[in-house]
């Protein structure tokens, strides 16, 4: 009995992607099926970065196809292809940045910047090309967290090159000012500075630009949300009631300006004692999940309050690069994959396929 391409598709329609929980056929992830007697070869193309999952995906696909009668050998190549997705109405996707992910919180002190940098590093570890824009003009922390010193170069006198470390490109006002110099600026100046950092940095073909937003929901945040082409936002909170109150306001702000919420991350969910390993929910528990249920958004995961996370960020080697195979790094990578899957589920940006129409009056 000869094997057909349709047989292979039927077998794979029963296999679900562990990250999307959807089968590979309906999501059009199966490509280039070739059948030669008992030999079957095919490609699986994921719409999100997941290098750490490639072996798992390949194994599941091979097992499913091998169950077909007459199959002798199965060859599967797994890759990721990141596309641009739509942003808020009236704005265009940036030419060298496929997707911009804003990481925000309603208030300071919830670990937003630490979450943002580890999220960016996790996306990079999973195989994506990633940049970090430090939009916290008043308190830039990404230069310290990423262990970067120095000032950006300008090759043309108009734009600047991003600095780089740990495989991610970075732009921050912190590279341009003295570390002890306070930013005594009004809102319009801050907004203009951020736009210049975003648009005048020569980002090199990024799949994702992670924007570490300033805390709060005031005029600055609203203006930035309206002028920066954002694919989606991640809200960071702690389980504490006070933090959740402000996180809910931050979520509503993004909804008002038409930016989809990719999900909520609950940071400092439990405290892990560095001496005995005892786990305790010192800020309460269940708050992040309840907030997600109230607003109908995804709960992306919980992160612990752990001494090593703070120490690693302060030393310029955040957890994902300091302990890449550790339990906490795996939590960050799991959250990063969930964020990337949510982005991949959004409508694709097709503007590049259409020519620019210019109307002239002769």
């Amino acid at each position: 009995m000869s094997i057909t391409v349709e047989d292979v598709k039927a077998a794979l329609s029963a296999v679900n992607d562990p990250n999307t929980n959807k089968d590979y056929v309906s999501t059009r992830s199966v490509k280039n099926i070739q059948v030669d007697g008992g030999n079957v070869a095919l490609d699986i193309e994921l719409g999100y970065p997941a290098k750490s999952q490639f072996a798992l995906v390949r194994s599941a696909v091979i097992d499913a196809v091998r169950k077909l009668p007459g199959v002798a050998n199965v060859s599967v190549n797994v890759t990721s292809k990141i596309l641009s997705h739509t942003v808020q109405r009236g704005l265009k996707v940036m030419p060298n940045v496929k997707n911009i992910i804003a990481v925000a919180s309603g208030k300071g002190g919830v670990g937003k910047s630490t979450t943002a940098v580890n999220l960016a590093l996790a996306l990079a570890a999973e195989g994506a090309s990633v940049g970090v824009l430090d939009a916290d003009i008043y308190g830039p922390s990404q230069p310290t967290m990423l262990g970067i010193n120095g000032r950006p170069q300008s090759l043309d006198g108009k734009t600047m090159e991003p600095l780089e470390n740990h495989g991610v490109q970075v732009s921050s006002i912190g590279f341009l000012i003295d570390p002890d110099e306070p930013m005594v600026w009004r809102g319009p100046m801050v907004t203009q500075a951020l736009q210049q950092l975003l648009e005048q940095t020569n980002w090199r073909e990024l799949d994702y630009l992670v924007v570490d937003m300033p805390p709060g929901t005031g005029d600055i945040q609203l203006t930035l949300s309206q002028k920066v082409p954002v694919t989606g936002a991640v809200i960071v909170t702690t389980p504490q009631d006070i933090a959740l109150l402000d996180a809910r306001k931050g979520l509503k702000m993004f909804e008002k300006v038409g930016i989809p919420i990719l999900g909520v991350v609950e940071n400092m969910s439990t405290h892990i004692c560095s001496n005995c390993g005892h786990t305790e929910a010192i800020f309460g528990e269940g708050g992040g999940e309840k907030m997600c249920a109230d607003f109908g958004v995804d709960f992306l995961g919980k992160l612990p309050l752990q001494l090593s996370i703070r120490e690693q960020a302060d030393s310029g080697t955040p957890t994902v690069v300091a302990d890449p195979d550790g339990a906490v790094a795996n939590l960050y990578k799991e959250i990063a994959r969930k964020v990337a899957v949510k982005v991949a589920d959004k409508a694709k940006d097709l503007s590049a396929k259409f020519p620019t129409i210019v109307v002239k009056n002769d």
Side-chain angles (χ1 to χ4, degrees):
M1 182 178 176
S2 59
I3 308 157
T4 67
V5 169
E6 291 306 315
D7 292 334
V8 176
K9 285 184 177 179
L12 294 178
S13 66
V15 183
N16 280 358
D17 181 324
N19 297 292
T20 66
N21 292 319
K22 298 176 183 177
D23 72 87
Y24 294 113
V25 176
S26 66
T27 55
R28 299 183 181 179
S29 300
V30 182
K31 311 280 185 183
N32 307 321
I33 299 175
Q34 298 177 5
V35 179
D36 182 11
N39 299 320
V40 178
L42 60 96
D43 296 333
I44 298 291
E45 185 181 273
L46 305 176
Y48 57 92
K51 190 186 291 184
S52 68
Q53 306 282 291
F54 283 0
L56 178 67
V57 170
R58 185 183 296 110
S59 177
V61 169
I62 289 173
D63 288 347
V65 176
R66 272 187 177 158
K67 291 177 182 176
L68 291 171
V71 170
N73 296 301
V74 183
S75 175
V76 177
N77 182 43
V78 183
T79 60
S80 292
K81 183 178 180 180
I82 315 302
L83 300 175
S84 295
H85 295 270
T86 53
V87 297
Q88 60 269 52
R89 187 173 297 176
L91 296 180
K92 283 187 175 183
V93 173
M94 290 180 62
N96 295 328
V97 180
K98 293 179 182 175
N99 301 286
I100 295 180
I101 299 169
V103 179
S105 64
K107 70 192 302 294
V110 299
K112 168 187 53 63
S113 294
T114 304
T115 302
V117 72
N118 277 293
L119 175 62
L121 292 167
L123 288 168
E126 291 287 21
S129 174
V130 182
V132 175
L133 176 64
D134 191 349
D136 197 346
I137 304 295
Y138 292 124
S141 55
Q142 294 301 339
T144 298
M145 289 187 174
L146 285 161
I148 302 176
N149 294 309
R151 296 190 178 258
Q153 289 184 318
S154 177
L155 303 180
D156 59 6
K158 299 177 182 178
T159 59
M160 59 186 175
E161 303 302 307
L163 297 181
E164 192 167 343
N165 198 20
H166 304 310
V168 298
Q169 301 171 41
V170 190
S171 186
S172 170
I173 196 74
F175 298 142
L176 305 173
I177 61 169
D178 187 285
D180 297 323
E181 185 73 23
M183 300 301 294
V184 189
W185 287 0
R186 293 190 182 274
M189 292 177 67
V190 173
T191 302
Q192 185 178 6
L194 177 63
Q195 280 193 276
Q196 288 177 327
L197 284 174
L198 176 68
E199 297 169 2
Q200 295 178 16
T201 300
N202 289 323
W203 303 107
R204 297 185 296 277
E205 298 300 329
L206 296 180
D207 294 318
Y208 305 99
L209 177 61
V210 176
V211 180
D212 181 11
M213 294 281 284
T217 56
D219 177 64
I220 295 170
Q221 288 76 15
L222 191 59
T223 304
L224 300 183
S225 301
Q226 292 170 330
K227 292 189 175 182
V228 176
V230 180
T231 315
V234 173
I235 306 296
V236 180
T237 186
T238 66
Q240 190 177 7
D241 289 343
I242 298 299
L244 285 164
L245 283 172
D246 291 328
R248 293 166 81 97
K249 293 172 187 173
L251 190 151
K252 292 296 288 183
M253 179 197 74
F254 284 111
E255 285 185 344
K256 284 185 176 181
V257 295
I259 295 175
I261 304 298
L262 301 174
V264 174
V265 174
E266 188 179 271
N267 198 29
M268 308 182 198
S269 182
T270 54
H271 172 249
I272 300 174
C273 178
S274 54
N275 289 324
C276 67
H278 174 68
T279 299
E280 187 175 8
I282 59 175
F283 290 126
E285 53 188 328
E289 289 165 293
K290 183 180 184 304
M291 174 180 160
C292 289
D294 290 344
F295 286 99
V297 298
D298 285 0
F299 184 68
L300 299 172
K302 301 178 180 180
L303 293 163
L305 174 61
Q306 191 167 315
L307 178 62
S308 62
I309 298 175
R310 194 273 302 164
E311 290 177 333
Q312 288 157 350
D314 283 354
S315 69
T317 53
T319 305
V320 170
V321 290
D323 186 17
D325 299 318
V328 177
N330 285 329
L331 287 174
Y332 281 118
K333 288 177 185 177
E334 186 179 338
I335 290 170
R337 288 195 302 272
K338 288 180 180 178
V339 169
V341 165
K342 288 290 291 181
V343 169
D345 280 344
K346 288 193 61 192
K348 295 177 180 63
D349 174 61
L350 303 175
S351 60
K353 295 188 176 182
F354 297 102
T356 301
I357 299 172
V358 180
V359 179
K360 291 184 177 180
N361 293 323
D362 293 330

